[in-house]
Amino acid sequence: MKGTEPDEEQLVRRTARGDRAAFEELYRRTSPWLAVRLRRRCADDQIVAEVMQETYLAVWRAAGAFAGSAVGGSAVGWLWTIAARRLVDAFRRRARHAQPLPVAESTVAPAAEDEALAGAVGDHVGDALRRLAPELRQVLQAMVLDGLTVRETAVLLGLPEGTVKTRARRARIAMREALS
């Protein structure tokens, strides 16, 4: 590539053509970030490992379906969407077997996506986001940042759908008040 490294979108496109080296490079670049992000949502290392494996298998198989920047998307966003849906599926499988899932404990340091979201939306909005109660911020993050539906958010967080809807509404009201 004329002295420059390919970006993640180019790696996905090369993976779609069966380029194993491109797939391995995509994995090397994205798997540490993806594992951290999944662990923030699930404390069960076995589930995280399964979701990682399922995600990269899906990427290998479906790389040709990636639309990318042509539709305003990014390779990393596409990868996270696959992983988030696989995590929801894992939670559903576990729920069918009636085994409770450990939920990741809140960490003192802010997550990279929290910082990125706050930085992307400006100081005033970022401050309002940081002041939200953790349970409201979790719902807002899942639905807005991760693009999950109410049902997927409910499964992901282990909450009834009505609770997710209520928390989403409370989060919107709190943000509106903080920004007025």
Side-chain angles (χ1 to χ4, degrees):
M1 298 268 163
K2 296 180 184 160
T4 62
E5 285 191 18
D7 64 16
E8 286 79 7
E9 183 169 340
Q10 292 166 327
L11 292 172
V12 171
R13 300 226 182 277
R14 287 176 37 199
T15 297
R17 294 191 300 267
D19 185 336
R20 185 173 288 282
F23 177 74
E24 290 170 0
E25 178 63 16
L26 180 68
Y27 179 84
R28 186 190 66 73
R29 286 188 196 179
T30 60
S31 63
W33 163 85
L34 186 61
V36 167
R37 198 159 183 196
L38 288 168
R39 282 189 192 104
R40 284 193 39 82
R41 286 155 180 81
C42 177
D44 187 323
D45 287 337
Q46 181 180 352
I47 289 176
V48 170
E50 289 171 13
V51 169
M52 292 282 292
Q53 184 175 5
E54 290 172 12
T55 298
Y56 285 100
L57 181 61
V59 167
W60 176 256
R61 289 178 174 166
F66 172 64
S69 58
V71 294
S74 71
V76 174
W78 179 69
L79 187 73
W80 172 246
T81 300
I82 293 170
R85 298 207 190 285
R86 293 298 185 276
L87 185 60
V88 168
D89 291 345
F91 285 173
R92 285 182 180 141
R93 282 192 303 270
R94 188 62 65 100
R96 279 193 296 257
H97 295 95
Q99 297 173 348
L101 284 175
V103 177
E105 294 293 322
S106 298
T107 58
V108 175
E113 67 249 22
D114 293 338
E115 290 178 351
L117 180 61
V121 295
D123 290 337
H124 193 56
V125 176
D127 290 341
L129 283 170
R130 283 187 285 278
R131 283 194 300 265
L132 275 180
E135 67 273 9
L136 301 181
R137 191 171 41 249
Q138 277 184 325
V139 168
L140 196 64
Q141 180 180 12
M143 294 180 73
V144 176
L145 187 62
D146 299 338
L148 300 179
T149 64
V150 169
R151 175 170 286 150
E152 291 167 337
T153 301
V155 172
L156 180 67
L157 298 177
L159 300 169
E161 287 183 41
T163 302
V164 169
K165 290 177 185 177
T166 300
R167 288 183 181 178
R169 184 174 179 278
R170 286 177 47 210
R172 283 192 304 270
I173 291 169
M175 289 296 293
R176 203 172 306 131
E177 288 173 0
L179 297 173
S180 61

